Amino acid sequence: MKKKVDIAVATDPIKNPYDIIEYAKDLQELVEFLHCDIMDGKFVNKKSLDAEFIKLLNSQTALPLDVHMMVSEPKTKLIDDYIDAGANIITLHFEAFKDKKQLLQAFSHIRQRKALAGLSFKPNTSLKEIRSYLFYVDIVLLMGVEPGASGQTMKEQTFERLKKIAKFREDNKLAFKIEVDGGVNDENAHLLFELGADILVSGSYVFNSADKDKAIKKLRK
């Protein structure tokens, strides 16, 4: 069976949180995930979407919630707050943890709570640094841009990094899904898919499209 790409639309371009609810409702028949960008104002400059809002969002949409935590040193209670609110995926940043043992403990805890554990990392973080952590996650979120700002152009190095992660997965017979976030559009989606991406996150590309249905179909092609 031919593999298909899943599409996640991101919350970040939307300034009014309550517009996110309508956006999710409008697109829930067209995409597979709602990618919820959680920012604490420390790890990145912006701040957005607390657990109470995610709980409200979860009550209003049938879309699985892909929660991307751009948060410094997220504690177990904070992770639990988002899982209790309805998060299906919790993705943590490699750089957010000074003590990497805590990162591994967080992955284990997320899985114990029956959510999927994801690892993300910034474009300038070496793949050698994160390789050993790929054995403990369900999702690898490859950032094509610096986290924290929607609308950036994807960095050229993203394609080679994706290729290497996909090869590492194959060589080690691992089953994690590869998700790409940042600068995804109809011009690069096909190549990302061919290089091994399973989930493509679209923020500005879909949100700013006059015909969102058509834009999503272009990503799938």
Side-chain angles (χ1 to χ4, degrees):
M1 184 189 295
K2 184 171 172 59
K3 188 184 85 163
K4 76 175 186 73
V5 68
D6 286 339
I7 305 298
V9 287
T11 60
D12 187 25
I14 306 173
K15 299 210 175 352
N16 183 343
Y18 291 95
D19 289 340
I20 295 171
I21 295 172
E22 296 309 311
Y23 187 59
K25 286 180 178 178
D26 289 344
L27 299 187
Q28 65 184 5
E29 300 297 326
L30 303 176
V31 300
E32 283 71 37
F33 299 98
L34 183 65
H35 187 86
C36 303
D37 288 307
I38 310 301
M39 297 174 268
D40 65 352
K42 296 176 183 176
F43 186 75
V44 295
N45 289 331
K46 293 165 73 174
K47 193 169 184 177
S48 70
L49 306 188
D50 61 20
E52 282 301 310
F53 181 78
I54 295 299
K55 184 176 181 179
L56 174 63
L57 187 58
N58 188 50
S59 72
Q60 299 294 313
T61 178
L63 281 173
L65 302 182
D66 173 17
V67 170
H68 177 193
M69 297 187 72
M70 289 170 272
V71 176
S72 293
E73 302 282 351
K75 304 299 183 189
T76 300
K77 183 184 183 308
L78 184 66
I79 291 170
D80 279 339
D81 286 346
Y82 282 97
I83 294 174
D84 291 341
N88 302 95
I89 303 168
I90 296 279
T91 296
L92 306 173
H93 263 269
F94 177 79
E95 304 86 1
F97 290 81
K98 292 177 183 175
D99 183 349
K100 303 307 180 189
K101 288 182 181 178
Q102 291 182 3
L103 176 60
L104 290 175
Q105 289 167 359
F107 291 150
S108 177
H109 181 74
I110 292 165
R111 286 170 145 183
Q112 286 172 7
R113 290 294 319 273
K114 310 301 182 188
L116 299 180
L119 170 66
S120 190
F121 40 92
K122 294 180 180 181
N124 292 329
T125 295
S126 167
L127 295 183
K128 290 181 180 179
E129 288 187 78
I130 59 95
R131 276 189 310 202
S132 62
Y133 299 87
L134 302 184
F135 293 90
Y136 303 96
V137 297
D138 308 292
I139 306 283
V140 174
L141 177 57
L142 175 62
M143 295 299 298
V145 301
E146 284 297 321
S150 183
Q152 300 178 67
T153 300
M154 181 176 288
K155 293 180 181 292
E156 191 63 33
Q157 71 214 50
T158 306
F159 303 102
E160 186 62 27
R161 284 160 70 83
L162 170 57
K163 187 176 178 181
K164 288 179 179 178
I165 292 168
K167 186 176 188 307
F168 184 87
R169 175 175 64 180
E170 181 181 2
D171 289 347
N172 290 279
K173 297 180 171 56
L174 298 173
F176 59 76
K177 300 285 188 184
I178 303 174
E179 185 172 9
V180 181
D181 181 14
V184 173
N185 57 40
D186 60 335
E187 295 180 358
N188 58 33
H190 178 73
L191 180 56
L192 294 169
F193 176 63
E194 290 297 320
L195 290 175
D198 305 287
I199 305 168
L200 299 179
V201 180
S202 176
S204 297
Y205 170 72
V206 169
F207 182 69
N208 292 331
S209 297
D211 187 337
K212 293 176 175 52
D213 187 0
K214 185 176 180 180
I216 291 164
K217 286 176 179 174
K218 283 185 177 181
L219 291 179
R220 293 193 193 281
K221 286 183 180 179

